[in-house]
Amino acid sequence: MQFIKKYWFGLITGMIVFIFLGVFILVLLSPRQDAQRRGFIPCTEAMAEHLSGCRDDGGIGCMLGGILQNSWCELKVIGKGIKLWVSGQQSAPWSNYIFVPEIPQVDEDFDEEARREHLKNNPDFVTEMQELKKLNEELENEQQEISADEQPQ
């Protein structure tokens, strides 16, 4: 009991840091894209929407509020996973946020044929940039030669 009286602040602070570090690691391990929008994806989307609204209102309080709402949402997702695991609805407590993602299908409106045609008709961008850089160097050299010729000797 003497230990708790002496180190209560450090214990509470350590537990808070440990919890948020654990949530941080879980969010890093979880998928970022999923066709069904499972896991932490809805939390992240809500935070992005909230923070984009903060741009108009301004203020650090708005941004801090969005980040705190995101953290609370992530804690609720973790709690839901534990609840589903205890009730036997999923095999592990982390199954609702660490999973094999379903990649969203390619948009049906996207024309793959048009993309191939565009890439066929347009040169490679890296090669084009290298050619432009070479032409720019040649132009600079010509300008230096012209300015050297114009200077009185």
Side-chain angles (χ1 to χ4, degrees):
M1 192 62 162
Q2 191 69 7
F3 180 79
I4 293 174
K5 285 183 179 179
K6 194 171 186 179
Y7 297 108
W8 66 271
F9 183 76
L11 289 172
I12 292 172
T13 306
M15 284 179 17
I16 291 171
V17 168
F18 179 74
I19 288 170
F20 279 99
L21 185 63
V23 170
F24 177 74
I25 290 170
L26 290 175
V27 170
L28 279 178
L29 293 175
S30 70
R32 285 151 189 78
Q33 281 187 338
D34 186 48
Q36 298 178 17
R37 295 183 61 236
R38 297 175 287 177
F40 301 114
I41 295 170
C43 299
T44 305
E45 290 173 353
M47 180 183 67
E49 187 175 317
H50 181 85
L51 292 180
S52 67
C54 288
R55 182 179 47 188
D56 300 332
D57 300 338
I60 191 137
C62 180
M63 291 186 182
L64 185 59
I67 293 169
L68 289 175
Q69 285 176 358
N70 181 58
S71 298
W72 181 248
C73 180
E74 291 169 348
L75 287 172
K76 289 193 300 189
V77 169
I78 293 169
K80 180 181 176 186
I82 293 170
K83 183 178 170 184
L84 291 172
W85 176 63
V86 168
S87 67
Q89 295 179 6
Q90 64 185 31
S91 60
W94 52 82
S95 295
N96 65 324
Y97 50 87
I98 296 180
F99 52 85
V100 177
E102 293 179 23
I103 304 299
Q105 296 297 322
V106 177
D107 188 10
E108 294 173 5
D109 295 335
F110 185 74
D111 189 8
E112 186 67 28
E113 181 81 21
R115 186 186 74 81
R116 277 193 228 114
E117 184 70 27
H118 173 74
L119 291 175
K120 185 174 129 184
N121 292 336
N122 293 313
D124 183 27
F125 295 111
V126 174
T127 307
E128 187 176 340
M129 290 305 292
Q130 289 173 347
E131 289 175 8
L132 286 173
K133 184 176 180 182
K134 188 186 298 183
L135 289 172
N136 187 28
E137 290 173 357
E138 291 175 6
L139 182 62
E140 287 177 357
N141 289 338
E142 288 177 12
Q143 288 177 345
Q144 288 176 358
E145 290 173 4
I146 291 173
S147 64
D149 290 341
E150 290 178 354
Q151 290 179 356
Q153 295 178 355

